[in-house]
Amino acid sequence: MTIKEVAEILKQHDNFEILTHNYPDGDCLGSGAALALALEKLGKRARVITTERAEKFSYLFENLSEGDFTAEYIVSVDVADEKLLGKYEDVYRGRINLCIDHHKSNVITADYKYVDPDSAAAGEIIFELLPELGVEPDKAIADCLYTAISTDTGCFRYTNTTSRTLRISAQLLDLGCDSAYINKVMFETKTKRRLALEREVLENMVFCADDKCAIIYTTKRMTDGLADDETEGIASIPRQIEGVKMGITVREKESDYKISVRTNGDVDACAFCRQFGGGGHAAAAGCSMKGSLGEVLERLKSAAEQTL
Amino acid sequence: MTIKEVAEILKQHDNFEILTHNYPDGDCLGSGAALALALEKLGKRARVITTERAEKFSYLFENLSEGDFTAEYIVSVDVADEKLLGKYEDVYRGRINLCIDHHKSNVITADYKYVDPDSAAAGEIIFELLPELGVEPDKAIADCLYTAISTDTGCFRYTNTTSRTLRISAQLLDLGCDSAYINKVMFETKTKRRLALEREVLENMVFCADDKCAIIYTTKRMTDGLADDETEGIASIPRQIEGVKMGITVREKESDYKISVRTNGDVDACAFCRQFGGGGHAAAAGCSMKGSLGEVLERLKSAAEQTL
């Protein structure tokens, strides 16, 4: 389907629920909030469904009405798989009307699907949807979309960044988006506790596969008292080390381990994670594992030895 | 003067020497190399004068002829002050014909000066000079200018990034510049020794002015055996800490200390450094100091207490 058809469908409905994925990031929250803002500009009602809204993302929702209403139309944004709806999986599985996403690995079931893997972020798709909806973007929408695009591209550093990404972002700057604030919050602010965590993580780093793979981990003890966004981004640490083709981050959660895999694209992170029931992109993917930390590390090490 | 006039002057001359600043960064090297490539495309000869060329920047010079010739016209690029010519200061002081720069603090003496503080990088000026010179940019020039612009904006993260910066960079991507390689080398690669240095730096960090200032330092012992570019970028560590308005990095060099000051723009880093004979931008500036490490730290601490 075309982006024009996506817009036509949205125009025909009202009372939207916009689904985002669990462990929500800047792209799903920013894209979801921007779409909701656009729909509200058309006089419609829209609510963004989130498993959590970290404090640092609160500005995305400041200009939204949301509120209580019975949902008529369900749109998922940046969600590649129903499993990623987290605690909402059972509520929405089989009920998604429209899926808007940029993950090649998308396997969601929906009445209509618009998946564009050439978009660096779902935010790019929402930006291109606005003129089709007849919505003039304003600063609030620009802030949401800049958040979406900058976070999913590591502030234009990752290989998914295209000239279209930069041109759209230039337009967002011209619309007055507060890139200085957003960059500062998303990329330039570390708490002292976060710095202490980084130090401990570096001390425990494990190398394998002839140093082509580096694995770091955080335990519940290490991240106790830290907000989720304080532990974010450490997944990029191991991949940055010279000679490392695959960087793996293991984070102990309540009942399992969350694994993030980052590569420079030569090694398929998505394929690596799929063998453990996960997915994602070629350069950044994730999965979950149960067991002891020692077992999890051993499974990852032997899988890495096989892959590399 | 206008950019068109800059182009006219360059067209009228031949056998250029292009000066860059000491402790050369991606902007002066990338802008210098791009200008030299453009002049060579016009059938002229040009040589980039550099105090050093770190291995990671070697690709900038791969497509240049340079070679031996008697210089007729001297152009400085990204050099705010003759002092910053380092070991070439005495050779070129008073001989600079054309100065192209983007530092507001520029105090260079030259026959002609084109200083545009609205450009995030000198590379933006060189990009806009190309059509005036009648030079069609190619991949080699695009690689140089992408290096210049991305390094001077922290890969589009710093507040100097404008929509023009992003639009120019989009064009560079369309010209085939290898942003994936450049981003990887400039922003995503750390040696194990660099990681060890970061750990030690974090352990020694000093806070002052009610934690609004954080100071880190490296000694010759800590950086022994590390290349200059392995110690680069640590200057951004202290400024990133929550609540820190001014981050100061002290690096022990052969006979003095090199001080880098980073702020979020609220505090004038340039003014802070000027009291010690340095200069730079509002958010990023530098100076040098002599004395013992303890003395240097004390002088910086009391200046920070006064400023904040």
Side-chain angles (χ1 to χ4, degrees):
Chain A
M1 67 190 302
T2 66
I3 194 88
K4 208 181 272 294
E5 287 165 336
V6 172
E8 286 314 311
I9 289 173
L10 291 170
K11 282 190 215 165
Q12 283 159 28
H13 293 90
D14 198 354
N15 298 325
F16 293 88
E17 269 181 345
I18 299 170
L19 310 184
T20 57
H21 59 74
N22 58 356
Y23 306 111
D25 59 13
D27 190 23
C28 74
L29 295 176
S31 297
L35 179 57
L37 284 165
L39 293 168
E40 288 188 352
K41 272 180 170 259
L42 293 174
K44 300 174 187 292
R45 291 199 288 186
R47 187 163 51 226
V48 186
I49 305 297
T50 50
T51 55
E52 56 187 310
R53 294 184 183 186
E55 175 56 28
K56 71 169 177 178
F57 288 120
S58 58
Y59 65 92
L60 298 173
F61 301 98
E62 262 168 17
N63 297 287
L64 265 179
S65 305
E66 298 192 286
D68 236 10
F69 55 83
T70 306
E72 285 172 30
Y73 206 78
I74 314 289
V75 183
S76 69
V77 170
D78 196 40
V79 184
D81 189 321
E82 284 90 347
K83 279 182 207 156
L84 301 174
L85 295 172
K87 64 182 175 185
Y88 294 117
E89 180 184 348
D90 293 341
V91 184
Y92 292 104
R93 180 180 282 280
R95 288 180 54 209
I96 301 172
N97 301 111
L98 170 64
C99 158
I100 299 175
D101 190 22
H102 71 122
H103 293 88
K104 206 161 80 178
S105 62
N106 187 295
V107 292
I108 243 171
T109 302
D111 299 343
Y112 297 97
K113 284 179 72 161
Y114 185 84
V115 179
D116 176 19
D118 291 334
S119 287
E124 287 189 20
I125 304 171
I126 304 298
F127 181 82
E128 305 210 314
L129 186 59
L130 297 175
E132 305 298 339
L133 283 173
V135 169
E136 196 72 53
D138 56 14
K139 181 192 175 296
I141 290 178
D143 281 340
C144 292
L145 292 181
Y146 184 85
T147 302
I149 293 171
S150 65
T151 55
D152 245 30
T153 59
C155 211
F156 314 110
R157 228 183 248 203
Y158 302 156
T159 51
N160 58 350
T161 306
T162 65
S163 59
R164 186 178 72 158
T165 309
L166 295 174
R167 284 200 180 88
I168 290 174
S169 302
Q171 290 180 69
L172 298 174
L173 258 60
D174 286 337
L175 286 164
C177 87
D178 198 347
S179 56
Y181 173 80
I182 297 167
N183 290 349
K184 191 175 147 195
V185 171
M186 298 300 154
F187 307 111
E188 301 269 324
T189 305
K190 285 181 187 181
T191 61
K192 288 186 188 175
R193 294 183 305 184
R194 161 63 188 246
L195 279 177
L197 176 70
E198 276 184 25
R199 216 155 54 207
E200 195 169 357
V201 152
L202 290 177
E203 271 156 23
N204 297 333
M205 185 153 45
V206 178
F207 287 91
C208 63
D210 288 331
D211 286 3
K212 286 201 281 280
C213 175
I215 309 180
I216 59 173
Y217 62 84
T218 61
T219 62
K220 280 193 278 195
R221 195 261 314 148
M222 285 161 70
T223 55
D224 189 40
L226 272 79
D228 237 38
D229 53 311
E230 283 181 295
T231 65
E232 213 186 87
I234 55 159
S236 67
I237 294 175
R239 197 251 339 242
Q240 294 184 352
I241 301 159
E242 205 172 33
V244 168
K245 304 254 178 233
M246 180 157 68
I248 304 181
T249 302
V250 178
R251 279 183 278 181
E252 188 185 11
K253 294 279 169 183
E254 264 326 298
S255 60
D256 62 355
Y257 291 89
K258 191 178 178 237
I259 321 291
S260 303
V261 178
R262 298 282 184 275
T263 71
N264 293 319
D266 313 335
V267 181
D268 188 346
C270 184
F272 184 88
C273 288
R274 250 200 311 261
Q275 59 186 313
F276 302 111
H281 302 282
C287 59
S288 297
M289 276 190 198
K290 290 193 181 283
S292 73
L293 176 61
E295 285 163 9
V296 166
L297 292 176
E298 278 315 310
R299 283 168 73 188
L300 288 169
K301 269 199 253 181
S302 71
E305 303 275 355
Q306 278 215 301
T307 300
L308 295 165
Chain B
M1 67 190 300
T2 65
I3 193 87
K4 209 181 272 295
E5 288 165 335
V6 173
E8 285 315 311
I9 289 173
L10 290 171
K11 282 190 215 167
Q12 283 159 27
H13 292 90
D14 198 354
N15 298 325
F16 294 88
E17 269 180 345
I18 300 170
L19 310 184
T20 57
H21 59 74
N22 60 355
Y23 306 111
D25 60 12
D27 190 22
C28 74
L29 295 176
S31 297
L35 178 57
L37 283 166
L39 293 168
E40 288 190 353
K41 270 180 171 262
L42 294 174
K44 299 173 186 293
R45 290 198 288 185
R47 188 165 49 227
V48 186
I49 305 297
T50 50
T51 55
E52 57 188 309
R53 295 185 182 185
E55 176 56 29
K56 71 170 178 178
F57 289 120
S58 58
Y59 65 92
L60 298 172
F61 302 98
E62 261 169 18
N63 298 286
L64 265 178
S65 305
E66 299 192 285
D68 236 9
F69 54 84
T70 306
E72 286 173 28
Y73 205 78
I74 314 288
V75 183
S76 70
V77 170
D78 196 39
V79 184
D81 189 321
E82 284 89 347
K83 278 183 207 154
L84 301 174
L85 295 172
K87 63 181 176 187
Y88 294 117
E89 180 184 349
D90 292 340
V91 184
Y92 293 104
R93 180 180 283 279
R95 288 181 54 210
I96 301 173
N97 300 110
L98 170 65
C99 158
I100 299 175
D101 191 21
H102 71 122
H103 293 90
K104 205 160 80 179
S105 62
N106 187 295
V107 292
I108 244 172
T109 302
D111 301 342
Y112 298 97
K113 284 179 70 161
Y114 185 85
V115 179
D116 176 19
D118 292 332
S119 286
E124 286 189 21
I125 304 172
I126 305 298
F127 181 83
E128 304 208 316
L129 186 58
L130 298 176
E132 306 297 341
L133 284 173
V135 169
E136 195 71 53
D138 57 14
K139 180 191 176 296
I141 290 179
D143 281 339
C144 293
L145 292 180
Y146 183 86
T147 302
I149 295 172
S150 65
T151 55
D152 245 30
T153 58
C155 210
F156 314 109
R157 230 183 245 201
Y158 303 158
T159 51
N160 58 351
T161 306
T162 65
S163 59
R164 185 178 72 157
T165 310
L166 294 175
R167 283 199 181 88
I168 290 174
S169 302
Q171 290 180 69
L172 298 174
L173 258 58
D174 286 338
L175 286 164
C177 87
D178 198 347
S179 56
Y181 173 80
I182 296 167
N183 290 348
K184 192 176 145 191
V185 171
M186 298 300 154
F187 307 110
E188 302 268 324
T189 305
K190 285 181 185 178
T191 61
K192 288 185 188 177
R193 293 182 307 184
R194 161 63 187 246
L195 278 177
L197 176 70
E198 277 185 22
R199 217 156 54 206
E200 195 169 357
V201 153
L202 290 177
E203 271 156 25
N204 297 335
M205 185 154 43
V206 180
F207 287 90
C208 64
D210 288 332
D211 287 3
K212 287 202 281 281
C213 175
I215 308 180
I216 59 173
Y217 63 84
T218 61
T219 62
K220 280 194 277 194
R221 196 259 315 148
M222 284 161 70
T223 55
D224 188 40
L226 272 80
D228 238 39
D229 53 312
E230 283 180 295
T231 65
E232 211 186 271
I234 56 161
S236 67
I237 293 175
R239 196 249 342 240
Q240 293 185 353
I241 301 160
E242 205 171 33
V244 168
K245 305 252 178 237
M246 180 157 67
I248 303 181
T249 303
V250 178
R251 278 181 280 179
E252 188 184 9
K253 295 277 168 186
E254 262 328 297
S255 61
D256 62 353
Y257 291 88
K258 190 179 180 238
I259 321 290
S260 303
V261 178
R262 298 281 184 278
T263 71
N264 293 320
D266 313 336
V267 182
D268 189 345
C270 185
F272 184 87
C273 288
R274 250 199 311 260
Q275 60 186 312
F276 303 111
H281 303 281
C287 60
S288 296
M289 277 190 196
K290 290 194 182 281
S292 74
L293 177 61
E295 286 162 11
V296 167
L297 291 176
E298 278 316 309
R299 283 169 72 189
L300 288 169
K301 269 198 254 182
S302 71
E305 304 275 356
Q306 279 217 298
T307 301
L308 295 166

